[in-house]
């Protein structure tokens, strides 16, 4: 019974994680349409890539016992493809500074994963120790992934707008973390459950912020310069007219004095 429930929760976690990883598709459709990354950050996608890499490796028989964590391999393998696609699109349309930041972070993620994979394969020779190593790095990556929206949440509070925090991303983040927490507890695997104990409250906080600011729109700065130019032009033209009139009056006055004399 527990085994079947464990598998069922894993499949539901797969579905929720797929929706979570696929949620930014609409965001990047907007990026492609506008040919700009605007105020979006690359941090959540790079951290998610590290999370997917670690848990795909964690689920493989090299680390886990046979195929006990097969659901993790399928969804995180798909997540790797999606996150890499998002990062490539982001770098393509980002500013030079953003390109550099995203490139450095992605390179660092690949290096961290490669080192972890090599150590777990060639240094440790039993599944328990390998799971502890890969799971510990994965735990840090998961906490970072669920915590990365804090940057966006700060912007939401400052601007009082949820324009750059899509509801789908917040909702599926909460749902996926809740299901994977249950999956880890049912399988008595704290390395899977622990990061989701952090993810659940953070996902819930994002939903609370969304509900609070969903009807508010970020205020656009008014094109004050254009209006100021018009006002200056009007004022200048008035001053010129007054100066011309005054000059004409002075000339006419001088002419009348000459005629009288």
């Amino acid at each position: 019974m527990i085994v079947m429930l464990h598998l069922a929760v894993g499949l539901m976690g797969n579905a929720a994680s797929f929706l979570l990883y696929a949620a930014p598709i609409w965001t990047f459709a907007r990026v492609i349409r506008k040919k700009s990354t605007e105020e979006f950050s690359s941090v959540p996608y790079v951290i998610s890539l590290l999370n997917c890499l670690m848990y795909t490796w964690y689920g493989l028989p090299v680390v886990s016992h046979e195929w006990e964590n097969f659901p993790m391999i399928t969804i995180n393998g798909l997540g790797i493809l999606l996150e890499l696609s998002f990062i490539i699109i982001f770098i393509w349309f980002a500013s030079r500074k953003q390109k550099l930041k995203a490139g450095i972070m992605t390179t660092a993620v690949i290096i961290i994963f490669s080192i972890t994979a090599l150590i777990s394969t060639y240094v440790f020779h039993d599944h328990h120790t390998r799971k502890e190593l890969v799971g510990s790095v994965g735990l840090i990556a998961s906490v970072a992934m669920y915590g990365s929206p804090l940057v966006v949440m700060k912007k939401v509070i400052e601007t009082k707008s949820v324009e750059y925090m899509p509801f789908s991303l917040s909702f599926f983040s909460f749902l996926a973390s809740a299901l994977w927490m249950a999956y880890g507890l049912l399988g008595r695997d704290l390395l899977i459950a622990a990061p989701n104990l952090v993810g659940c409250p953070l996902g819930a906080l994002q939903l609370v912020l969304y509900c609070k600011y969903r009807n508010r729109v970020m205020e656009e700065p008014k094109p004050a310069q254009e209006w100021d130019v018009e006002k200056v032009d009007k004022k200048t033209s008035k001053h010129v007219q007054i100066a011309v009139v005054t000059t004409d009056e002075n000339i006419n006055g001088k002419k009348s004095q000459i005629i009288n004399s």
Side-chain angles (χ1 to χ4, degrees), residues 7 27 77 102 106 115-116 122 136 140 159 169 171 205 251:
L7 179 60
T27 298
T106 305
I115 291 171
T116 305
Y122 296 107
S136 298
I140 295 169
T159 61
L169 197 61
F171 176 72
L205 182 58
I251 292 171

Side-chain angles (χ1 to χ4, degrees), residues 209-228:
L209 283 176
Y210 189 91
C211 291
K212 183 176 181 181
Y213 296 115
R214 70 184 186 280
N215 293 325
R216 303 190 187 185
V217 180
M218 188 185 299
E219 294 184 359
E220 295 290 339
K222 295 180 179 179
Q225 292 182 346
E226 295 180 7
W227 289 105
D228 289 343

